[in-house]
Amino acid sequence: MRDFRKTLMVAMGTTAITVGLFAGPLGVAAQDDAWQGVDDGTTVTMWTRAATQARSQALVDAYNASHQNQIELTVVPTDDYQAVVGAAAGSNSLPDLFSADVVFMPNWTSQGLFTDITDKIASLPFIDQVGPAHIDASTWDGKKYGLPFVIDLSVWMYNKELFRQAGLDPEKPPTTLAEFDAAARAVDALGGDINGTFFGGSCGGCNVFTWWPISWADGEPVMNPEGTESYLNSETMRTIYSTFRALHEDGITAPGTQEEQGPTWTGFFPQGNIGIMPMPASLQGMANDNLKDEDIGVTQIAGINGGQSTFVGGDSIGISRDSKVADQAWSFLAWMLGDEAQVEVVAKGGNVVARTDLADNQYSSADPRLVLFNSVAGVGETPFALNFGQTYNDPQGPWLVLLYDALFGDASLIDADNDAINDSLQP
Amino acid sequence: MTTSGAVGRMPFYVLTGGLAVIFLFPLVWSAVASISPAGATGQTHGYGLGNYATLFDFGAGLPRFFLNSVIVSVLTVTITLVVSLFGGYAFARFEFPGKELLFLVTLAILMVPYATLLIPLYVLLNAIGLQNSLIGLSLVLAMYQLPFAMFMMRISFEAVPRELEDAALVDGCGSFAALRRILLPAVVPGLITVGLFAFLAAWNDFFAPLILISDPSQAPLPLAIATLRQQTMGAIDYGATEAGVVVMALPCVLLFLLLQRYYVRGFMSGAVKG
Amino acid sequence: MTAASRRTGGPSSTARLSLRRSRQLQGIAYATPTIVLVAVFFILPLLLVGRMSVSDWSLLSGDRGINFPDNFAEITPNRLFWPAVVFTIEYTLLVTVLLVGLGLGLALLVQEGGRYVGGLRTIFLLPVAVGLASASLLFWGLYSPSIGPIGPVLQQMGLTSEPISFLGTPLAALLSTTFLIVWKFAGLYMLILLVGLQAIPREVYEAAAVDGASRSQTLRRITLPLLRPSLALALILCITGSLLAFDQFFILTKGGPNNSTVTVVQLIYREAFQRQNLGTAAALSIIVLIVLLALNVVQFRGLRSPDKA
C-alpha cells in the first residue's frame, strides 16, 4: 500500500513537472505565434490611396519578400478614394485590407466597414508602445477597428542652398508665420525660376494638412471637439488666409498654385527651386539631382505667435468586414508594427515610426531631421468630424469654396462659406 | 455652278485640307506622345515603348484590363445580337398581344438618362449577385443597346420580302428553320451594324463601369487608364495615359475603318425618319 | 379542339385559329429574351429608383425606410444645384450651336462623291469611333502643362509668353471641353445631316438653278427647310446628350476650377458616392428624368412640322 501511494506520488510529481516543463514554454510559444496571425501562402487583397503610395508600397514589398502570404496592392487615386471604397462597400466587394485617411475613420468605422480587431490589438506584445492617435480615431463605440499604417505629419521644408543664396541662415529656419513669409519673399527675390513657396490652391485636403497646424500652434482650435462646428472663420485663420493670399498676389508662389488640385503638390519642392513650403514629414525618395539631401531642411510648423504643431495624419489600416482571410490579413498588420518593419523599412526610408519605443533607432538618431519628425508628433493633433471627407476633402465640398474665396476671390464671403461648412458637418 | 478647274476649287481644298489636319492631329499626337520622351514617365529619354511598359506594371496589368474590355465587349455584342435577332424577327413577322407596347417600351429606354438607371442598377445587381462582375456589366450595356438594335433588326427583317420564307413555311419548315436558313443570311448587314455599334459602345463605356465595377482588377480599359493617372504622389504620368489612349483607340479605329459602310448604314435607316 | 368547335367553324377556320395561336406563341417565344432583358434591367430599376427617391437609402447601410418628401426638399437648397443647372444649360447651348452648325457645314462640304471627299468623310468620322473617355484622356494630356504641344508651339511662334492654362479658369475649362466635344462628335452630326441632304432630290436643286437662285438663297430657302427632320433629330440628340454630360468633365476638370464645371449628372454621382446618400441621388435623377421627358415630348411635337411636304 505504501509502495503504491509512493509510486503514485512520484508519477504525479513527474507528470506535473513534465507538463510544467512542456506546457510552460510551449504554452508561451503558442501564445507568441497567435498574435502574429496566419502565414500560409494566402493572397491578401489590399487597397491604399495614392497620397501614401510610396510608403505603403515599401511595406508591402518587404512583407511579400519575407512571408508566404502575398499582398496584392491596388493604389486608388486620392480624390476618388472615398467614392471607390463607398461603392465597393455598398456592393460587398471590399478588399481584405484597406487603409483609410485617418480623418475618414470615424465615418467608416461608424458605418461598420471594418472587422472588430479589439482582441487582436490587445494581443500585440508591444501595444502599449504604439502611438494612440490613429487607434483612437479608429475606435467606435468602444471597439477598435484600425491601426496606424502610415504616419503623415506636416512640417515646413526649406531649401538650405536657396536660403544661403538669399542671405538667410540655413540653420535658423522660421519660427513664426511672419518669419515664414519673410523667408519666402527673400528667396523669391533671387528671381528666375526660383519661387518663394507653393501651395495647392484647389486642394482641400492639402490645406487642412498644412494650415490648420498654424492655428493649433497658437492654441486656436479649428472645430469643436465633436466636429460639428467650424471655427474656420476665426481671426487666426483669417490672418493665415491673408498671408498666403498676399504671397500669391505678389507672385511669390510658383505658377500652378491656383489650379493645383492635389496630385502634384508634393512634386514641386524636390525640383529644387522652391524656398520654403509645408510638406509631409518624409524624406523618402526626395533627394535627387536637383535637390541634394544635405540641402533639405526641416522645421516644425509654427503659429502666428510662435509655438509648434503638426497635423497627425496619414493612414490607418483595418481588416474589412467582407474579408474571408482575416487571420492572414492580420499577419500583415502585426508584422508591420513589429521592430523589423518599423526600423528597417519605415525609419530607414526616412519616415516617422508608429512605435514610441523605436523613435530613437539607428536611422533616426543619425539624422536630426528624423529626430525632429518623431518629436513633433507629440505636439500635433488629429481633428475629428463624422463628415470630414465630404466637408474638407471633397473637391465640391464647402471647405474648398471658403478657401477659394479667401485666397483668390471675395474674402467677405468667408462667414457665409463657414456657415456652409457648419451645415455639412451636421451628422 | 462654280468656275471649272482647279483654281476655283482651291479654297475648297484648303478649307477641307485644314479641317482634315485639325481632325487628325489629336489622334496622331497621342500616338507620337505615347512614345516620346517626357519627364516623370516611363520614357524619360529618347523615343521608345517605355510608357507601354508602365501599363504592364500598373495594377493588374495591361493584359488583364485589355482582356476585361474584350470580355465585356464580346459579351455585350453577343447578348445584343441574340436578343435583337429574335426580337426583330418577332416584331417583324409575328403578331402577338402586347407587341407594339413592348416595342415602345424598348424604345423608351432612349428617353431615360443613363445616370437615372445606373443608381438602382447598382443596387439591383448587388441583390441578384451580379455586382462587380463583367457579365452584369455586359447585360446592362446590352440593355442600353436595345432601342437601336431592335429598331435596326426590325426594319432589316421587314425589308426582306415575305415570299422568300413563305415558300419555305408552306413546305413544312418551322419558323426557327426559316429564320436560320432564309432570313438570317438576309439580315446579316443589319446584324453587322448592330454588332459594330454595340462593340463601340461597350468597349468605350466609362460611366457604367465606374459605378458597377469596384474591384480594380475587373476594370475595363477606360476605367483602368483613368485610374492610372494618379498613382504616385507628386507626379502624373501623362506618357502612360497617352499610351493607354492609343491602346483603347486603336481597335476602334481599325474596326471602324473596316466596317465603315455598316456604320453609315445605321444612320441611313433611322435618320431620315427622325 | 372540341367536336363542338369543329361543327361550328369547320376544319379550315379551326386550323387557322390554331395556326394563329401557334404563331402568337412563337412570336412571344422569340420576344422572350427581349421581355426578360427589358423587364429585369429597365422596368425593375425604373421602379426601384422611384422607390429609392422617396426613401432614406444610404450607400453603406441600405434602405432605412420612406422619408418622402425629404430627398426632394433637399435638392434646391443644395448650394451646388442651381450653379450646376445653369452651367449645364450654358454648356448645352454652346455645344449644340457649334456641333449642329459645324455638322451642317461639314455635310455640305462632303455631299458630293469622289475619293477625296470619301476620304474626308472617313477622317471626320474617326473621332466618333474613339470613345468619349478615351478622347477625354487624350485631351487631358493635350491640355496638360507637361506634355501638351500647343503651348510650346505658340510660345515658339512668339504668340504667347506664358504657358497657356487650358483648364485653369472657368472660361478656359468650358471652352477647352467644348472643343473636345465638338472635335469628337462633329463627324456624327455631319453624318446625320448628310443622310438628310442626300435624300433631297436633284430635281429640286435643278429647278432652283433654273429659277436663278443664288447659292445662299438655295441653302436658305430650299435645303434647310427640307433638312428639317434631320436637323430636328440632330438637335434632340445633341441637347439630350449635352444635358447629361458627365465623362468629359469627370476626367478633364473633376468639376473644377472652383466648382465652375459641375454638371447635373456629376451632382448625382457625388450624392451617391461622396455623400453616400442613394436616396437623394435617386431623387435628383428622377428630376432629371422628368425634365428630359418633357423636353423630348416638346421636341417631338416640334418635329411634326406643320409645313411638312
Side-chain angles (χ1 to χ4, degrees):
Chain A
M1 210 52 175
R2 216 184 287 155
D3 288 323
F4 173 69
R5 236 192 268 154
K6 201 167 163 201
T7 321
L8 188 60
M9 275 167 52
V10 168
M12 277 171 62
T14 320
T15 317
I17 295 170
T18 316
V19 169
L21 266 178
F22 282 109
L26 263 186
V28 169
Q31 278 176 332
D32 262 338
D33 286 344
W35 68 266
Q36 286 177 341
V38 172
D39 182 17
D40 58 0
T42 311
T43 304
V44 177
T45 52
M46 175 171 156
W47 289 1
T48 190
R49 48 181 192 125
T52 48
Q53 176 261 350
R55 289 164 277 177
S56 318
Q57 191 75 58
L59 280 167
V60 166
D61 289 344
Y63 178 86
N64 283 348
S66 56
H67 289 74
Q68 287 179 312
N69 286 345
Q70 292 293 291
I71 305 213
E72 239 176 45
L73 180 64
T74 301
V75 179
V76 180
T78 311
D79 277 344
D80 299 339
Y81 201 63
Q82 225 194 344
V84 170
V85 169
S91 61
N92 299 323
S93 17
L94 285 169
D96 297 308
L97 286 166
F98 65 103
S99 67
D101 188 332
V102 66
V103 293
F104 292 165
M105 286 309 269
N107 187 311
W108 287 349
T109 51
S110 63
Q111 307 250 29
L113 263 48
F114 292 103
T115 305
D116 180 5
I117 47 175
T118 314
D119 295 336
K120 286 184 156 70
I121 291 181
S123 77
L124 289 172
F126 41 71
I127 185 57
D128 292 329
Q129 284 78 37
V130 176
H134 281 238
I135 302 184
D136 289 343
S138 315
T139 302
W140 185 262
D141 222 11
K143 301 200 186 70
K144 303 191 176 146
Y145 296 97
L147 286 168
F149 181 49
V150 170
I151 316 272
D152 220 359
L153 310 171
S154 49
V155 294
W156 282 339
M157 280 197 188
Y158 62 98
N159 188 324
K160 290 189 180 178
E161 175 54 31
L162 291 180
F163 263 40
R164 253 174 251 127
Q165 288 178 19
L168 300 164
D169 184 348
E171 302 312 318
K172 288 229 170 63
T175 57
T176 67
L177 183 61
E179 286 176 23
F180 175 99
D181 185 81
R185 289 173 187 272
V187 170
D188 195 84
L190 292 172
D193 260 353
I194 314 249
N195 289 286
T197 187
F198 182 84
F199 60 86
S202 293
C203 173
C206 311
N207 296 315
V208 157
F209 185 64
T210 56
W211 290 353
W212 288 11
I214 303 178
S215 180
W216 294 336
D218 277 324
E220 293 289 328
V222 299
M223 282 191 292
N224 65 352
E226 296 77 31
T228 52
E229 197 184 329
S230 150
Y231 309 139
L232 289 162
N233 56 347
S234 67
E235 279 312 306
T236 309
M237 288 307 295
R238 282 174 199 264
T239 308
I240 299 173
Y241 301 143
S242 56
T243 306
F244 284 96
R245 185 185 183 114
L247 284 170
H248 179 255
E249 282 174 358
D250 294 342
I252 313 292
T253 54
T257 298
Q258 186 169 342
E259 298 90 22
E260 176 62 35
Q261 291 183 333
T264 59
W265 78 276
T266 57
F268 288 84
F269 185 76
Q271 287 171 21
N273 45 20
I274 303 269
I276 178 169
M277 66 177 279
M279 287 281 283
S282 167
L283 297 171
Q284 187 135 25
M286 180 130 358
N288 61 72
D289 291 338
N290 298 322
L291 181 65
K292 295 199 286 257
D293 185 56
E294 57 263 25
D295 285 334
I296 302 177
V298 307
T299 187
Q300 304 92 329
I301 294 182
I304 299 172
N305 305 308
Q308 331 161 341
S309 188
T310 184
F311 188 107
V312 181
D315 286 11
S316 302
I317 189 169
I319 305 176
S320 80
R321 57 137 200 249
D322 295 336
S323 176
K324 304 201 174 36
V325 292
D327 290 327
Q328 288 84 343
W330 175 254
S331 155
F332 175 70
L333 298 185
W335 171 86
M336 66 103 186
L337 284 177
D339 292 19
E340 192 204 322
Q342 287 293 312
V343 176
E344 294 303 322
V345 183
V346 178
K348 190 170 179 188
N351 302 302
V352 176
V353 295
R355 295 259 302 272
T356 53
D357 57 327
L358 297 175
D360 203 10
N361 58 71
Q362 69 200 93
Y363 300 106
S364 45
S365 48
D367 189 337
R369 295 172 302 187
L370 297 179
V371 174
L372 187 140
F373 290 168
N374 285 320
S375 71
V376 80
V379 297
E381 296 184 29
T382 305
F384 174 92
L386 211 50
N387 293 338
F388 200 98
Q390 75 188 46
T391 308
Y392 300 112
N393 295 78
D394 183 0
Q396 271 83 53
W399 163 238
L400 205 48
V401 175
L402 186 152
L403 268 185
Y404 197 86
D405 284 333
L407 294 166
F408 312 115
D410 182 357
S412 69
L413 293 173
I414 290 182
D415 283 323
D417 292 337
N418 194 54
D419 288 337
I421 294 181
N422 278 326
D423 287 339
S424 175
L425 286 174
Q426 302 316 307
Chain B
M1 288 280 115
T2 53
T3 53
S4 58
V7 177
R9 301 275 294 165
M10 211 26 133
F12 176 77
Y13 284 114
V14 167
L15 177 63
T16 53
L19 283 171
V21 166
I22 296 180
F23 272 83
L24 279 179
F25 173 69
L27 291 172
V28 170
W29 173 80
S30 85
V32 170
S34 68
I35 55 172
S36 301
T41 67
Q43 184 69 35
T44 41
H45 294 98
Y47 292 84
L49 298 173
N51 289 319
Y52 292 92
T54 314
L55 292 180
F56 279 88
D57 282 334
F58 156 67
L62 180 63
R64 182 65 202 267
F65 299 127
F66 195 85
L67 183 66
N68 291 339
S69 280
V70 168
I71 293 176
V72 169
S73 305
V74 166
L75 279 177
T76 306
V77 167
T78 309
I79 298 172
T80 308
L81 285 179
V82 166
V83 173
S84 62
L85 177 70
F86 289 128
Y89 187 36
F91 287 122
R93 288 294 195 254
F94 295 85
E95 292 301 320
F96 51 90
K99 168 175 143 173
E100 290 308 325
L101 178 65
L102 180 62
F103 193 67
L104 272 177
V105 170
T106 307
L107 287 188
I109 294 176
L110 281 176
M111 305 280 236
V112 178
Y114 215 37
T116 306
L117 283 178
L118 281 179
I119 305 280
L121 278 171
Y122 168 78
V123 172
L124 189 66
L125 285 186
N126 200 20
I128 58 180
L130 283 178
Q131 77 276 15
N132 212 14
S133 67
L134 297 178
I135 174 76
L137 178 61
S138 305
L139 283 165
V140 171
L141 293 174
M143 182 271 297
Y144 278 116
Q145 286 301 304
L146 275 189
F148 174 74
M150 203 62 69
F151 181 78
M152 199 62 215
M153 291 320 296
R154 179 172 183 168
I155 62 176
S156 294
F157 275 105
E158 283 172 353
V160 179
R162 277 189 187 255
E163 296 83 57
L164 277 178
E165 85 237 45
D166 278 349
L169 287 172
V170 160
D171 280 347
C173 212
S175 63
F176 187 74
L179 173 67
R180 195 165 43 87
R181 286 201 257 127
I182 297 174
L183 288 166
L184 186 54
V187 298
V188 159
L191 284 174
I192 296 183
T193 305
V194 168
L196 179 61
F197 272 79
F199 178 84
L200 289 177
W203 182 268
N204 289 317
D205 203 279
F206 176 74
F207 200 12
L210 180 67
I211 296 193
L212 300 176
I213 302 276
S214 304
D215 184 351
S217 64
Q218 299 275 79
L221 279 171
L223 189 57
I225 305 295
T227 308
L228 146 70
R229 295 179 295 165
Q230 251 197 57
Q231 280 307 289
T232 46
M233 192 59 172
I236 301 180
D237 194 342
Y238 287 99
T241 307
E242 295 305 319
V245 167
V246 170
V247 171
M248 281 190 284
L250 211 51
C252 295
V253 167
L254 289 176
L255 211 59
F256 177 79
L257 288 174
L258 211 62
L259 300 174
Q260 192 183 338
R261 64 192 162 100
Y262 293 99
Y263 190 88
V264 176
R265 222 177 153 271
F267 288 88
M268 306 209 45
S269 52
V272 180
K273 291 191 183 178
Chain C
M1 240 63 62
T2 64
S5 65
R6 272 241 197 113
R7 252 180 275 127
T8 47
S12 58
S13 67
T14 328
R16 251 186 286 131
L17 201 66
S18 74
L19 178 66
R20 194 164 147 253
R21 270 299 275 308
S22 155
R23 291 286 293 179
Q24 271 186 359
L25 288 173
Q26 285 180 56
I28 294 181
Y30 286 116
T32 301
T34 309
I35 297 174
V36 168
L37 199 60
V38 168
V40 174
F41 289 91
F42 178 57
I43 304 289
L44 211 51
L46 209 50
L47 295 172
L48 185 56
V49 78
R51 165 69 162 82
M52 287 169 80
S53 67
V54 298
S55 319
D56 177 10
W57 201 301
S58 147
L59 174 68
L60 303 178
S61 317
D63 182 14
R64 300 196 281 219
I66 305 278
N67 72 347
F68 185 76
D70 291 352
N71 291 338
F72 290 94
E74 281 177 35
I75 291 181
T76 36
N78 183 350
R79 71 199 148 74
L80 291 170
F81 178 69
W82 288 117
V85 169
V86 167
F87 174 71
T88 308
I89 294 178
E90 258 177 22
Y91 167 76
T92 301
L93 288 175
L94 182 61
V95 164
T96 304
V97 165
L98 287 176
L99 260 184
V100 177
L102 185 60
L104 181 61
L106 290 177
L108 288 170
L109 278 176
V110 302
Q111 57 180 315
E112 51 195 72
R115 294 183 65 168
Y116 176 68
V117 168
L120 280 179
R121 269 189 241 162
T122 306
I123 291 178
F124 294 147
L125 274 176
L126 270 183
V128 180
V130 171
L132 183 54
S134 309
S136 303
L137 288 166
L138 198 172
F139 272 78
W140 189 71
L142 196 67
Y143 288 145
S144 74
S146 325
I147 61 171
I150 306 182
V153 164
L154 288 181
Q155 275 185 305
Q156 280 204 331
M157 297 204 305
L159 287 173
T160 56
S161 54
E162 284 182 359
I164 306 183
S165 173
F166 285 99
L167 301 172
T169 70
L171 183 63
L174 172 62
L175 292 179
S176 302
T177 313
T178 304
F179 182 79
L180 154 68
I181 295 295
V182 171
W183 172 81
K184 165 125 176 49
F185 287 108
L188 181 70
Y189 290 89
M190 170 196 79
L191 193 55
I192 294 176
L193 295 171
L194 186 61
V195 167
L197 268 182
Q198 289 179 334
I200 301 175
R202 285 202 69 89
E203 296 85 52
V204 176
Y205 288 121
E206 280 163 13
V210 161
D211 281 350
S214 72
R215 289 193 92 159
S216 74
Q217 276 176 327
T218 314
L219 183 65
R220 262 187 304 122
R221 299 278 185 76
I222 303 199
T223 316
L224 284 181
L226 285 176
L227 261 187
R228 200 169 170 147
S230 298
L231 276 173
L233 175 67
L235 282 172
I236 294 179
L237 272 178
C238 198
I239 292 178
T240 307
S242 307
L243 286 175
L244 298 177
F246 176 79
D247 291 14
Q248 59 271 34
F249 291 105
F250 188 80
I251 292 179
L252 271 184
T253 65
K254 268 272 165 63
N258 195 33
N259 295 336
S260 60
T261 59
V262 176
T263 59
V264 177
V265 173
Q266 191 149 358
L267 276 189
I268 297 178
Y269 176 79
R270 177 175 183 262
E271 279 301 308
F273 296 103
Q274 290 272 21
R275 303 204 54 228
Q276 301 173 348
N277 191 336
L278 293 181
T280 48
L284 191 53
S285 60
I286 293 273
I287 302 280
V288 173
L289 170 63
I290 294 175
V291 167
L292 248 90
L293 276 177
L295 210 58
N296 275 320
V297 165
V298 165
Q299 285 175 326
F300 273 125
R301 289 257 177 87
L303 180 55
R304 309 257 172 273
S305 49
D307 54 341
K308 197 165 180 183

